[in-house]
Amino acid sequence: MIDPKLLDLLVCPLTKAKLTYNESTNELWSEEAGLAYAVRDGIPVMVVAEARELSESEKASLGD
């Protein structure tokens, strides 16, 4: 789980867009960049080179 106050402050380092926390994968998702940033031990890893690309189904779920 990530602190909601922290989530309000964090943005995608690539696009500067808001992030969405995905509890099932424990990642922060950037819809604009199509990237997922891992959260390890409660600390977001906001490094573009370490982010993974969202699948098409994951991208589609962001619009729901």
Side-chain angles (χ1 to χ4, degrees):
M1 189 67 174
I2 194 157
D3 184 336
K5 290 178 186 175
L6 178 60
L7 186 56
D8 284 341
L9 297 173
L10 292 174
V11 294
C12 174
L14 186 64
T15 65
K16 307 302 184 234
K18 286 240 174 221
L19 298 167
T20 303
Y21 179 66
N22 184 296
E23 194 171 339
S24 64
T25 61
N26 196 36
E27 296 173 320
L28 294 169
W29 288 9
S30 172
E31 181 175 7
E32 228 175 270
L35 296 173
Y37 299 96
V39 178
R40 297 186 189 127
D41 298 322
I43 301 169
V45 180
M46 305 300 292
V47 180
V48 175
E50 291 192 29
R52 71 172 181 85
E53 283 194 45
L54 294 173
S55 69
E56 290 303 316
S57 62
E58 289 172 330
K59 288 177 189 177
S61 74
L62 282 168
D64 294 342

